[in-house]
Amino acid sequence: TPRLFSGMQPSADSLQVGNYIGALLQWRQMQQTHDAVFCVVDLHAITIPQDPALLRQQTRRTAAQYIAGGIDPEHSVLFVQSQVPAHAELAWVLNTITGFGEASRMTQFKDKSAKQGSDATSVGLFTYPVLMAADILLYDTALVPVGEDQRQHIELTRDLASRFNSRFGDTFVIPKPQIQKATAKIYDLQNPEAKMSKSAASDAGVLWLLDEPSKTAKKIKSAVTDADREIHFDRAAKPGISNLLTIHSVFSGTSIGDLEAQFEGKGYGDLKKEVADVVTEEFAPVRARTLELLDDPTELDRMLTKNAERASGMAEATLARVYDRIGFLPRS
Ligand code: TYM
């Protein structure tokens, strides 16, 4: 069975609906047919400043949401990145074959560093995509299910893998991105031209998996739409309505075409009310299960360390192969 690898940053207490639709829903489905490895990428999270106590809490909460969202930690591997040292070790090696210009062209880095200014931007943020390449390549990954915003990072991963292979001999599997066209980008409710993001300047456009249902419903009812009255999908002319239709369609299982027919002659208020219903219905059991899992952090931590051992076994084998190819002495 082909290997699957993916991860999320523990950069907030809750996932937002873009993470849930763009990534977690795919993960849940694909773990049935693939040998799946899922990571909470805390090494990535510290590329911007994090409060230590909050980071620890967010890491547990992110793992709990993976499980509550349907990832089975007995079947798939579900672990925390910093508990498997091979990630940082392979990242170092890959840093040495990454061009400075190549890394400078990463658009996420350019966006984030432009916001922060160059003195506030860490070198860690600059090499963030190289660490991501290490994550993926350590597990002989064939497929990486992600949202659209990660496409360029996976392109870089493929380039680095091929470069290493041609310089040192066949070592890495070349991975492919798995991006679901219709749901690869969920937009901010207040600014439907921009992707929904955990780090959005305003909270009003972000739907959090763990929010109170009443809060979620309120945000959906205040979503930005347009001056027209027609409910139909048109990404360019009606970004707000198109985003709401996408979210409805994913959770209700109704096609966009059927939704357009269903809402013919109805108003934006009717659409928003239904979207609020399907979203809160979807979130309710996941939220309840997450809170239940967080009631017993000791058990959660035990599950994570056990899974880190499983991941280490896989990752160490790849790292040993890499070290040998480069010409490092054997470790033992
Ligand atoms: P992160 O934590 O920003 O996001 C986690 C996943 O959610 C997807 N996503 C979205 N999908 C659709 N619409 C949105 N608005 C939206 N926002 C986020 C992301 O595409 C991602 O799949 N660099 C990664 C984490 C990472 C990783 C990896 C992923 C580290 N190593 C190895 C895959 C493989 C990131 O910051 O994701």
Side-chain angles (χ1 to χ4, degrees), residues 5-11 15-24 26-27 37 39-41 44 62 66 81 87 108 112 128-129 131-137 141 143-151 153-154 157 178-179 183-188 194-198 243:
F5 182 98
S6 201
M8 289 189 203
Q9 295 195 65
S11 49
L15 306 191
Q16 40 92 358
V17 74
N19 303 134
Y20 188 80
I21 292 176
L24 194 52
Q26 286 198 76
W27 299 3
V37 181
C39 187
V40 179
V41 296
H44 278 106
T62 303
Y66 285 9
Q81 192 183 28
H87 290 253
Q108 279 212 340
K112 286 189 193 172
Y128 176 115
L131 175 60
M132 180 164 161
D135 298 341
I136 295 167
L137 298 178
T141 302
L143 277 180
V144 189
V146 285
E148 182 60 40
D149 59 345
Q150 299 301 316
R151 186 189 291 280
H153 292 160
I154 297 168
T157 304
Q178 168 80 25
I179 300 171
T183 56
K185 194 164 177 186
I186 301 296
Y187 296 81
D188 188 289
K195 96 174 162 177
M196 190 184 288
S197 158
K198 282 181 194 154
N243 193 38

Side-chain angles (χ1 to χ4, degrees), residues 58-327:
Q58 289 167 188
T59 300
R60 290 198 181 100
R61 289 176 79 99
T62 303
Q65 287 169 92
Y66 285 9
I67 299 172
I71 302 306
D72 176 0
E74 301 292 330
H75 173 62
S76 301
V77 180
L78 190 179
F79 74 103
V80 175
Q81 192 183 28
S82 64
Q83 295 186 328
V84 178
H87 290 253
E89 294 172 300
L90 181 60
W92 177 256
V93 172
L94 295 177
N95 271 324
T96 66
I97 65 161
T98 306
F100 190 85
E102 189 175 35
S104 307
R105 283 191 291 276
M106 294 292 114
T107 58
Q108 279 212 340
F109 172 74
K110 287 198 280 189
D111 291 348
K112 286 189 193 172
S113 59
K115 268 187 218 152
Q116 294 178 340
S118 80
D119 281 336
T121 299
S122 72
V123 174
L125 188 68
F126 184 62
T127 67
Y128 176 115
V130 182
L131 175 60
M132 180 164 161
D135 298 341
I136 295 167
L137 298 178
L138 276 174
Y139 297 90
D140 296 329
T141 302
L143 277 180
V144 189
V146 285
E148 182 60 40
D149 59 345
Q150 299 301 316
R151 186 189 291 280
Q152 194 189 28
H153 292 160
I154 297 168
E155 269 314 308
L156 175 72
T157 304
R158 291 167 56 83
D159 290 345
L160 295 179
S162 314
R163 190 172 308 156
F164 189 98
N165 285 354
S166 62
R167 202 170 295 175
F168 297 103
D170 230 11
T171 307
F172 294 126
V173 173
I174 314 287
K176 284 204 181 78
Q178 168 80 25
I179 300 171
Q180 222 97 75
K181 214 164 182 272
T183 56
K185 194 164 177 186
I186 301 296
Y187 296 81
D188 188 289
L189 299 186
Q190 287 299 319
N191 179 12
E193 322 272 342
K195 96 174 162 177
M196 190 184 288
S197 158
K198 282 181 194 154
S199 54
S202 154
D203 182 67
V206 184
L207 294 179
W208 302 102
L209 186 57
L210 301 183
D211 257 355
E212 298 278 349
S214 60
K215 216 168 156 190
T216 298
K218 212 167 138 197
K219 283 184 182 173
I220 293 169
K221 283 170 191 163
S222 349
V224 165
T225 53
D226 53 60
D228 185 71
R229 307 187 50 117
E230 301 262 307
I231 297 179
H232 67 91
F233 190 95
D234 182 338
R235 187 69 263 156
K238 305 171 74 68
I241 292 297
S242 304
N243 193 38
L244 291 174
L245 284 169
T246 302
I247 295 172
H248 189 315
S249 171
V250 171
F251 292 152
S252 65
T254 313
S255 74
I256 302 267
D258 286 352
L259 287 175
E260 286 171 332
Q262 243 169 266
F263 281 102
E264 195 163 352
K266 293 195 180 158
Y268 288 173
D270 302 309
L271 173 64
K272 286 177 170 179
K273 179 165 184 325
E274 264 199 36
V275 172
D277 287 346
V278 294
V279 171
T280 50
E281 225 169 89
E282 172 83 19
F283 283 3
V286 186
R287 177 168 181 269
R289 180 79 184 115
T290 302
L291 299 179
E292 203 177 276
L293 287 161
L294 290 169
D295 264 349
D296 192 351
T298 319
E299 177 50 34
L300 192 60
D301 286 1
R302 196 174 314 131
M303 182 282 294
L304 288 172
T305 48
K306 198 176 86 188
N307 269 268
E309 271 174 46
R310 295 168 67 199
S312 279
M314 303 156 96
E316 287 298 333
T318 311
L319 188 68
R321 210 159 72 215
V322 169
Y323 276 15
D324 179 58
R325 292 277 154 83
I326 304 176

